[in-house]
Amino acid sequence: MKRSILTNREQVIFTLLVEGKTTKEIAKKLNISEKTVRNHISNTIQKLEVKGRASAVVELLKLGEITL
């Protein structure tokens, strides 16, 4: 089994982003601050070496880390 490049939390957050949830909605659902959500997104963007959320989503889909 291949090891995920994302933490479980990052995977949940990007799955919710793909479902169209806002940062605020994700924070509320996961009972964490919006800043924490943004930090997880930032960390993922850095790991993937891409420019933004949309590019991160595309890359994660390509890698099979998240699905539509």
Side-chain angles (χ1 to χ4, degrees):
M1 187 169 103
K2 83 176 181 91
R3 192 169 162 272
S4 176
I5 59 168
L6 297 181
T7 65
N8 288 343
R9 184 63 84 170
E10 290 165 347
Q11 199 158 19
V12 168
I13 288 171
F14 271 88
T15 298
L16 291 169
L17 280 176
V18 166
E19 290 173 5
K21 301 281 189 265
T22 65
T23 303
K24 188 174 190 167
E25 290 168 335
I26 294 168
K28 188 173 182 178
K29 181 175 177 79
L30 300 178
N31 201 27
I32 58 178
S33 73
E34 288 180 61
K35 173 135 178 51
T36 301
V37 173
R38 287 192 300 273
N39 285 343
H40 284 302
I41 293 167
S42 264
N43 291 341
T44 302
I45 289 168
Q46 283 184 319
K47 279 185 201 178
L48 296 170
E49 299 177 351
V50 294
K51 292 274 187 232
R53 289 179 186 205
S55 298
V57 167
V58 169
E59 195 59 31
L60 292 170
L61 288 166
K62 283 184 196 172
L63 295 169
E65 292 284 333
I66 57 173
T67 57
L68 289 176

